[in-house]
Amino acid sequence: MTTRLHLRDRLLPDTVVGRTALVLVAALLLSAMTALVLFAVQREEALKAIGGRNAAERVGGLVTIAEQTEPDLRHHTLHNLDTPRFRVGWGTAPIVTENESFGLAAYVRDALEKGLEGREILISTRPGPIGGGGENASGLGPHNRHMGPPHVIGPALRISVRLTDASWLNVLAPFEPGDSLWRPRFVLPLLLALVLVTGAALLAVRKATQPFARFAAAAERLGVDVAAPPMAESGPREVRRAAQAFNVMQGRISRFVQDRTQMLAAISHDLKTPITRLRLRAEFVEDDEQRTKMLADLAEMEVMIASTLAFARDDATSEPRLRLDLVAMVQGMVEDMEDMGVDCAYSGPQTLVIEARPAALKRAIANLLDNAVKYGGGARLELSPLADEIHLVVDDDGPGIPEDDFERVFAPFVRLEASRSRDTGGSGLGLAVARAAIRAQGGDITLANRPEGGLRVTVSLPKG
């Protein structure tokens, strides 16, 4: 079942516009083919009916002529009325062996009986041999050079009328097939109409699905910037209601973030006063070792509070986007590391201009470099521009991280004791801040353990 669904998804277009257009075009083609088949069938029936009516009128006239003509002159008279498209004969036997009472035969019989009351009329549309009871018994024998061989010559009305002297007037009226439907003057207008209707349908579908693209763009903006402008509430009623619901949701999220930030700012402000009092009291502790530990703990608390407040404010989303040279930024940071005696290297292009928030992006890359140096002993950066995005890879030679913890390390205040110690410092917010900043740029961060050892951090950024 799953394989069948995957195959269907691969065969179908990947967009709503494509799939809707496919359904519309398929429906148009099916409707056109159905209408064409019905038209062909009705046309054939109409042609047969017209031919049958004409045949009935001519047969009625021929019966009158035959009965008013002397038997010795009938062959000659009827011979003069015989044509390749309306063959006439006179003889002692009918050419109809299976009389029909339905369809076109019944229609022609009704028409004949109105003018030939009391006469025996045999009609058939089925192919069969001409006559019975002798070579010329039907009057349609080979002596008549206009009639060809005495065999079937295609679909035709076979009519036999018993005259007043018990002889038979036999008529063979081939059906007129009419002109082919597949001639240019019929096919070209049909194709042109299909093309025009399909084009109009595609334009209508494209216009009808434009709100989906607007919703997708609005959702992407909301994921990057919670303070993004609201969607325009325009279009059909359903689209307006969806836009209104989206704007309400965005407003609630924005208020939630603001309330959270204000709450954390208030907590941070309220904690500063007791921390300051504790610092003053710690200065009066006579034991130097205890005093040093207490001051270190208070300093760590202040760092954690400041980091938490900065993370909660999420300054990355409020900073304006500017065009910058990413290579120059990364090389400058690598050179600063090298000046401090840290093993750090860069490889990649010499210049790469992107649009981003400079301070937030620099803070994110700095956090990744700090982690690589602290827990891996060094960092190697590689910048690779791809088709739609840019990859910045940071490798280190540390012990790596268990795959089960790849997502957990991005949570605030998480520190993996297997690879980190209290001596390294930090509040456990480095990766959380980095990912928040990168996602605010429209990118993401992924982790992987290198086969040769060490952790690989891949930062993906949009080119725009």
Side-chain angles (χ1 to χ4, degrees):
M1 183 66 179
T2 303
T3 304
R4 188 160 59 247
L5 290 176
H6 290 170
L7 179 62
R8 183 190 65 186
D9 291 338
R10 285 196 298 268
L11 294 177
L12 291 176
D14 192 41
T15 62
V16 175
V17 175
R19 295 191 178 190
T20 308
L22 179 62
V23 171
L24 284 176
V25 171
L28 286 173
L29 291 176
L30 182 60
S31 300
M33 293 303 297
T34 303
L36 188 60
V37 170
L38 292 176
F39 173 73
V41 172
Q42 294 296 327
R43 176 176 179 266
E44 183 178 358
E45 294 295 329
L47 289 174
K48 287 183 178 180
I50 293 173
R53 184 170 60 251
N54 292 336
E57 293 175 355
R58 294 187 66 179
V59 168
L62 288 171
V63 169
T64 302
I65 293 174
E67 290 182 341
Q68 293 177 356
T69 304
E70 294 294 331
D72 295 340
L73 299 176
R74 283 180 186 176
H75 274 297
H76 178 73
T77 302
L78 295 177
H79 170 71
N80 291 333
L81 297 175
D82 184 37
T83 66
R85 292 185 178 274
F86 198 83
R87 306 177 66 186
V88 183
W90 173 69
T92 60
I95 63 171
V96 178
T97 58
E98 296 184 25
N99 192 25
E100 294 180 15
S101 59
F102 55 87
L104 180 60
Y107 174 81
V108 176
R109 180 180 291 103
D110 291 341
L112 283 173
E113 287 178 347
K114 292 179 180 178
L116 302 175
E117 294 181 3
R119 290 178 176 84
E120 183 179 358
I121 301 173
L122 303 177
I123 301 177
S124 175
T125 58
R126 296 171 182 168
I130 296 178
E135 185 181 65
N136 295 323
S138 68
L140 293 175
H143 68 279
N144 192 330
R145 60 186 176 87
H146 293 287
M147 293 183 290
H151 299 291
V152 177
I153 58 173
L157 264 175
R158 299 169 183 270
I159 305 173
S160 296
V161 179
R162 189 181 183 92
L163 303 179
T164 54
D165 60 358
S167 62
W168 290 86
L169 177 71
N170 296 309
V171 175
L172 190 65
F175 293 138
E176 292 292 340
D179 295 333
S180 173
L181 283 178
W182 305 109
R183 58 190 186 276
R185 65 178 183 179
F186 177 80
V187 174
L188 292 180
L190 177 63
L191 292 178
L192 180 60
L194 283 175
V195 170
L196 293 177
V197 172
T198 301
L202 291 177
L203 290 177
V205 169
R206 193 174 190 86
K207 186 174 181 61
T209 54
Q210 281 180 350
F212 292 107
R214 293 203 302 269
F215 276 110
E220 290 179 358
R221 287 197 306 269
L222 179 61
V224 174
D225 183 8
V226 74
M231 283 188 65
E233 298 177 3
S234 59
R237 181 174 58 185
E238 293 82 0
V239 175
R240 292 198 306 271
R241 290 184 60 184
Q244 291 170 359
F246 184 89
N247 290 335
V248 170
M249 179 192 69
Q250 181 176 346
R252 289 173 179 171
I253 293 174
S254 179
R255 287 193 298 272
F256 171 77
V257 172
Q258 292 175 1
D259 293 343
R260 184 191 67 167
T261 302
Q262 292 174 358
M263 179 187 67
L264 289 174
I267 293 174
S268 176
H269 179 272
D270 292 343
L271 286 176
K272 285 182 179 179
T273 300
I275 289 176
T276 302
R277 288 201 300 266
L278 288 173
R279 181 182 293 278
L280 291 175
R281 291 173 184 172
E283 295 291 344
F284 292 100
V285 175
E286 296 181 357
D287 189 329
D288 293 339
E289 182 178 356
Q290 292 298 325
R291 183 174 63 252
T292 301
K293 290 181 179 180
M294 291 176 64
L295 291 175
D297 288 340
L298 291 172
E300 184 176 356
M301 290 177 63
E302 289 180 335
V303 170
M304 290 179 65
I305 292 173
S307 299
T308 302
L309 185 60
F311 177 71
R313 283 201 308 265
D314 199 8
D315 294 333
T317 60
S318 58
E319 183 185 3
R321 298 174 69 91
L322 303 173
R323 294 187 65 79
L324 57 90
D325 189 344
L326 181 59
V327 173
M329 174 186 290
V330 172
Q331 284 182 333
M333 299 171 70
V334 170
E335 291 174 359
D336 291 341
M337 289 287 187
E338 291 176 340
D339 291 342
M340 293 187 295
V342 176
D343 180 15
C344 196
Y346 165 79
S347 62
Q350 296 302 311
T351 182
L352 183 58
V353 178
I354 65 171
E355 186 176 298
R357 297 181 173 96
L361 181 58
K362 187 172 184 179
R363 182 166 63 248
I365 298 175
N367 287 350
L368 299 179
L369 285 176
D370 288 342
N371 279 352
V373 171
K374 288 178 181 178
Y375 311 118
R380 291 180 299 280
L381 286 79
E382 181 180 359
L383 195 58
S384 304
L386 302 179
D388 299 325
E389 58 185 9
I390 299 165
H391 281 186
L392 175 63
V393 178
V394 181
D395 290 340
D396 63 45
D397 297 320
I401 296 176
E403 292 187 5
D404 294 341
D405 293 325
F406 280 173
E407 185 63 28
R408 193 166 71 90
V409 295
F410 286 107
F413 309 112
V414 171
R415 296 165 57 90
L416 300 182
E417 297 303 329
S419 60
R420 305 181 181 195
S421 65
R422 299 290 297 180
D423 297 335
T424 59
S427 58
L429 285 170
L431 286 177
V433 171
R435 186 164 72 168
I438 295 300
R439 285 184 172 177
Q441 309 282 344
D444 205 354
I445 297 179
T446 57
L447 304 180
N449 288 316
R450 299 167 58 220
E452 59 271 25
L455 183 68
R456 169 164 292 176
V457 182
T458 302
V459 178
S460 59
L461 292 169
K463 277 192 171 181

